[in-house]
Amino acid sequence: MKEIEEKVLKDGIVLNDDILKVDSFLNHQIDVLTLREFARGVKEFLHGQKVDQVLTIETSGIAVAYAVAEELGDVPILFAKKSKSKIVDENVYRGEVVSFTRGIRSEITVSKKYLKPNTNVLIVDDFLASGNAGLALIDLANQAGAKVIGMTAVIEKLFQGGRERIEALGVPVFAGASIKAFLNDKPVF
Amino acid sequence: MKEIEEKVLKDGIVLNDDILKVDSFLNHQIDVLTLREFARGVKEFLHGQKVDQVLTIETSGIAVAYAVAEELGDVPILFAKKSKSKIVDENVYRGEVVSFTRGIRSEITVSKKYLKPNTNVLIVDDFLASGNAGLALIDLANQAGAKVIGMTAVIEKLFQGGRERIEALGVPVFAGASIKAFLNDKPVF
């Protein structure tokens, strides 16, 4: 999307070959207009498919999920929690995410009460990079018997392989801005 | 607000004398309609005062902040991060929150870039209980020289003292539903 690419060019800061800092509008300060623009793109991408739930992961996915849920007609949002406790809880589905930027393994959970079989789930996040968070969310949805109808992110870094890994599972991917590379400290779309 | 009270009565679960579980619509699954209703109440409470920024704290405050920021005309959102690192970073303001439910002390930070002097800041959160999170956010705003024009929460538990502590600082408080007590496992407003 032209508008998201322009925002990324204007306000994103390339820190190194892997990391784009967007804390001025996406994951610390949040710009409602950018998220609403992205949400419009998600709606088009879906071509009228019914969405029963927008699934995301704390923290930075939540505002994005709100914008998308609202655009799709106020569907419920569910955010997976990064769990710290090793207490066995029979009432949750569990998945594992490896953070690309920090290499830390963490467990995520959602309550079985809120993720249901035979529902259409749309996954939403701020970034799609290696795809680890998306794959963990797809895993949670699969455990519940829900159908993942798409994985969407405001920004994707194509060179980190996430899109390929997710499309290989038959899940369509949409991003507001797709970065092919960083060149002279600027993203190239 | 009648609508929020009804939602709390219908879907909230009183776990014990202190804790109301609202993960079906507020802090795990999220109901957009409830948050938008709350945001309308916040707008009325403000009587047209200008808001430059909506300030909240991760995680559960973020969706609430989005709803309020949108209702107030797409003002920027800023969420304080729960910091784990003890690395000294000169570019952030730091505050301390003691969790009422778990007794854990944690540090929160916001980037100095995004919290500015002589701005009107509105604080938003899911719950107001003991007021510790709100007080820490007010402290961050004070460090930046910003003016806190209100503290708002979807649900407050009046018997845990948060409102008094925050009003004592001269900050007006608004809640979507104000719980006086739990009686027979039901909230009383």
Side-chain angles (χ1 to χ4, degrees), chain A residues 23-24 27-30 32-33 36 53 58-59 62 66-67 70 74 76-79 81 110-111 114, chain B residues 23-24 27-30 32-33 36 53 58-59 62 66-67 70 74 76-79 81 110-111 114:
Chain A
D23 69 353
S24 64
N27 45 30
H28 184 26
Q29 195 169 233
I30 298 170
V32 172
L33 294 169
R36 200 182 295 127
Q53 197 167 39
E58 62 174 327
T59 303
I62 296 176
Y66 190 101
E70 185 168 61
D74 301 332
I77 300 156
L78 181 66
F79 68 86
K81 298 186 177 189
V110 293
S111 169
Y114 306 125
Chain B
D23 70 352
S24 65
N27 45 31
H28 184 25
Q29 196 169 234
I30 296 170
V32 172
L33 293 169
R36 201 183 295 127
Q53 196 167 41
E58 62 174 328
T59 304
I62 296 174
Y66 190 102
E70 185 168 60
D74 300 333
I77 300 157
L78 181 65
F79 68 86
K81 298 187 178 189
V110 293
S111 169
Y114 306 125

